[in-house]
């Protein structure tokens, strides 16, 4: 598994909140849904995204933005626009004074706003639960990232625009997978940018020693790795590997290995029905008890509790 594939295999939407928002100016939407990740693709017009922390970006047609929760932000036709609605957890919508907007601005199947041919049209996809996006992926992202139309070329835009308004059997599953693909395409383009500030371990892949060790660990996490065996594979001493790895990645080799194994276990607990014992063996732990102890120490819950919450 290459590192980028390992990072991007996390998105697994389940009943994602998907909508086609259509507005005429002036308009403004306050987002307080605490969702782990939301992608916004502007099909037509202009939009501004303003984070509470002060960051502000403009979107033009074809541009995409990804917001990492839980911090709130405002999407509007112009900077400083007064919000007309507030998006709450679970996709619920209210007026700024707290009154429910249920049914208001309803334009048909997954369409919302002033009119279907509004001056601004945006496709929005939101992962509703933390478990649908791996923690390693979220940790690698800034609170808000954008790609202009000339930075990425994605054939999914037209497909998503067509599918988002369909009401067919199994449509929710189709949209979930399209959302996953759209996010992966956007993040792959973003990570290729010099301003992406990819995580230290990702940048360290370019190092001839540390990069080799990272690939060994990521490709075969179940192997009984030690600093000595990793150093031998990389052709350096244990001390040299420990020093170089810590300098470039920010943590010792075995600490990174533990984090990688537990992240894989968390994903497999969520995505498979394998027993805890089987998952333990797959990620390099000798028993379910050994995995459970390490998992609870890092995640604060047992593997079974994690699986139950993800479900």
């Amino acid at each position: 598994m290459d590192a980028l594939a390992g990072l991007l295999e996390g998105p697994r939407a389940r009943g994602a909140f998907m909508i086609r928002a259509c507005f005429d100016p002036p308009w403004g939407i306050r987002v307080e849904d605490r969702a782990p990740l939301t992608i916004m693709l502007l099909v037509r017009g202009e939009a501004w995204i303003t984070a509470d922390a002060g960051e502000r970006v403009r979107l033009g047609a074809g541009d995409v933005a990804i917001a990492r929760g839980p911090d709130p932000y405002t999407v509007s036709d112009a900077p400083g626009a007064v919000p007309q609605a507030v998006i709450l957890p679970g996709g619920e919508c209210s007026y700024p004074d707290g009154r429910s907007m249920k049914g208001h601005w309803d334009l048909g199947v997954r369409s919302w706003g002033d009119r279907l041919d509004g001056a601004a049209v945006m496709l929005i996809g939101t992962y509703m639960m933390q478990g649908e996006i791996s923690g390693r992926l979220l940790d690698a992202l800034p609170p808000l990232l954008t790609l202009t139309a000339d930075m990425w070329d994605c054939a999914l835009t037209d497909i998503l625009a067509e599918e988002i308004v369909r009401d067919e059997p199994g449509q929710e599953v189709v949209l979930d997978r399209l959302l996953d693909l759209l996010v992966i395409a956007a993040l792959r383009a973003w990570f290729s940018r010099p301003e992406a500030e990819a995580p230290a371990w990702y940048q360290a892949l370019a190092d001839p020693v540390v990069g080799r060790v990272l690939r060994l660990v990521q490709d075969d996490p179940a192997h009984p790795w030690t600093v000595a065996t990793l150093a031998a594979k990389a052709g350096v001493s244990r001390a040299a590997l420990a020093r170089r790895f810590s300098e470039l990645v920010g943590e010792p080799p075995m600490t990174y290995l533990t984090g990688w194994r537990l992240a894989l276990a968390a994903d497999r607990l969520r995505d498979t029905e394998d027993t805890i014992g089987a998952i333990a063996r797959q990620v390099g732990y000798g028993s379910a008890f050994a995995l459970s102890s390490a998992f609870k120490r890092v995640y604060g819950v047992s593997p079974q509790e994690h699986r139950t919450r993800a479900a």
Side-chain angles (χ1 to χ4, degrees):
M1 178 189 297
D2 70 75
L4 188 56
L7 187 67
L8 297 181
E9 70 172 358
R12 295 286 190 278
R14 290 183 176 86
F17 177 70
M18 304 267 308
I19 201 164
R20 181 176 185 263
C22 315
F23 292 106
D24 288 324
W27 60 273
I29 306 297
R30 172 80 172 166
V31 182
E32 298 180 355
D33 60 4
R34 302 188 63 82
L37 200 75
T38 295
I39 186 166
M40 293 161 275
L41 176 59
L42 195 64
V43 176
R44 182 167 68 236
E46 178 181 90
W48 288 81
I49 303 175
T50 305
D52 279 17
E55 185 176 3
R56 178 183 292 166
V57 297
R58 176 193 174 276
L59 297 183
D63 297 351
V64 66
I66 294 180
R68 189 195 72 195
D71 295 339
Y73 53 92
T74 300
V75 187
S76 59
D77 68 303
V82 177
Q84 300 158 283
V86 181
I87 306 297
L88 301 168
E92 294 295 324
C93 187
S94 73
Y95 289 101
D97 63 8
R99 290 178 296 127
S100 175
M101 288 189 70
K102 190 170 184 179
H104 192 62
W105 283 357
D106 189 353
L107 298 176
V109 179
R110 299 184 193 88
S111 296
W112 187 66
D114 297 320
R115 58 189 178 93
L116 288 174
D117 57 347
V121 176
M122 179 181 286
L123 307 180
I124 303 170
T126 299
Y127 290 85
M128 306 292 279
M129 301 294 292
Q130 185 77 30
E132 296 171 344
I133 296 285
S134 72
R136 294 180 72 252
L137 176 55
L138 292 175
D139 290 344
L141 301 179
L144 179 64
L145 68 89
T146 58
L147 291 166
T148 57
D150 60 340
M151 292 180 181
W152 78 312
D153 181 20
C154 184
L156 293 171
T157 302
D158 292 341
I159 299 174
L160 182 60
E162 181 179 328
E163 292 290 340
I164 202 170
V165 294
R166 284 191 174 180
D167 189 15
E168 303 285 345
Q171 193 66 15
E172 187 175 274
V173 176
V174 171
L175 292 174
D176 282 349
R177 298 293 74 79
L178 284 175
L179 175 59
D180 291 341
L181 291 172
L182 185 67
V183 168
I184 289 171
L187 293 180
R188 186 166 57 185
W190 184 76
F191 274 111
S192 70
R193 307 289 302 175
E195 68 271 23
E197 297 184 4
W201 64 262
Y202 183 79
Q203 299 179 44
L205 286 164
D207 183 82
V209 173
V210 177
R212 175 164 173 72
V213 170
L214 285 168
R215 290 183 178 90
L216 287 169
V217 167
Q218 291 167 352
D219 288 345
D220 191 5
H223 188 83
W225 296 112
T226 64
V227 175
T229 58
L230 289 170
K233 289 284 188 179
V236 296
S237 69
R238 288 181 294 175
L241 173 61
R243 182 176 60 254
R244 193 162 179 171
F245 196 99
S246 295
E247 288 175 353
L248 295 181
V249 180
E251 59 185 354
M254 301 313 290
T255 302
Y256 177 85
L257 174 59
T258 296
W260 176 249
R261 285 171 167 169
L262 293 178
L264 291 177
D267 287 346
R268 292 179 185 182
L269 286 164
R270 182 191 70 208
D271 297 332
T272 76
E273 295 182 359
D274 293 348
T275 66
I276 295 174
I279 292 173
R281 292 188 293 273
Q282 292 163 13
V283 301
Y285 284 89
S287 67
F289 177 78
L291 172 61
S292 296
S293 297
F295 197 93
K296 190 166 187 176
R297 187 167 56 249
V298 172
Y299 285 87
V301 296
S302 70
Q304 186 58 53
E305 288 173 315
H306 174 82
R307 169 170 275 171
T308 300
R309 291 181 182 184

